[in-house]
Amino acid sequence: MMWQDFIFMIGSSLSIVFLAPTLRDASARVPLGTSLPSMVIGVVYGMTFLSLGMGFSAIGSLAAGTMWALIAMVRSPIGMSITGRLFRLESPVLFASDLRRWLTGSSSSIDADQFVSSGADADHQYRSAADGSAD
């Protein structure tokens, strides 16, 4: 067993510790230009260490690459894609609610028609607002 194997593993472990707050912070936004290359580097280093027989270093680097992959999925500024909705870590209740809504295919968008009262005057106001014309 090489002592260098442990040094590389300790370095990867520290990077995981330092990245954990970013993953937990719901307001954090990490550009994909940062997270994806870091993820690839972690995976490539992990495979390289594995080919050299440095198992501890490989595990540490693959774990760091996985952490960057999670950051890319959850904390990128892309917005609320399906991945963002499914893997949002703000609250287990929000996660369960989003998962249920996604699986049932229901939408959270609000239909404007539900706010218009019935009647000819309301219908005229709604159509005027929809086409941009003024009264």
Side-chain angles (χ1 to χ4, degrees):
M1 186 76 37
M2 293 189 283
W3 63 270
Q4 292 93 339
D5 196 13
F6 288 110
I7 298 298
F8 287 127
M9 182 192 66
I10 290 169
S12 296
S13 299
L14 285 174
S15 69
I16 292 168
V17 169
F18 296 138
L19 290 172
T22 302
L23 193 57
R24 287 190 306 227
D25 183 3
S27 65
R29 294 291 171 248
V30 178
L32 290 175
T34 298
S35 55
L36 291 180
S38 298
M39 175 196 68
V40 170
I41 289 169
V43 171
V44 169
Y45 280 8
M47 293 298 156
T48 304
F49 285 134
L50 195 60
S51 73
L52 293 171
M54 299 173 74
F56 292 116
S57 298
I59 291 170
S61 292
L62 290 172
T66 301
M67 190 69 136
W68 277 111
L70 289 171
I71 290 171
M73 285 191 312
V74 179
R75 299 296 174 224
S76 70
I78 293 292
M80 296 307 293
S81 64
I82 288 175
T83 302
R85 282 188 297 219
L86 282 178
F87 294 106
R88 179 167 58 176
L89 297 177
E90 296 163 356
S91 162
V93 174
L94 285 175
F95 175 78
S97 173
D98 287 347
L99 181 61
R100 180 183 46 78
R101 188 175 27 242
W102 181 75
L103 290 174
T104 61
S106 62
S107 175
S108 65
S109 64
I110 299 171
D111 188 11
D113 290 335
Q114 67 183 336
F115 293 105
V116 177
S117 61
S118 62
D121 187 47
D123 187 45
H124 173 71
Q125 289 174 354
Y126 173 73
R127 289 177 195 217
S128 295
D131 67 9
S133 62
D135 287 311

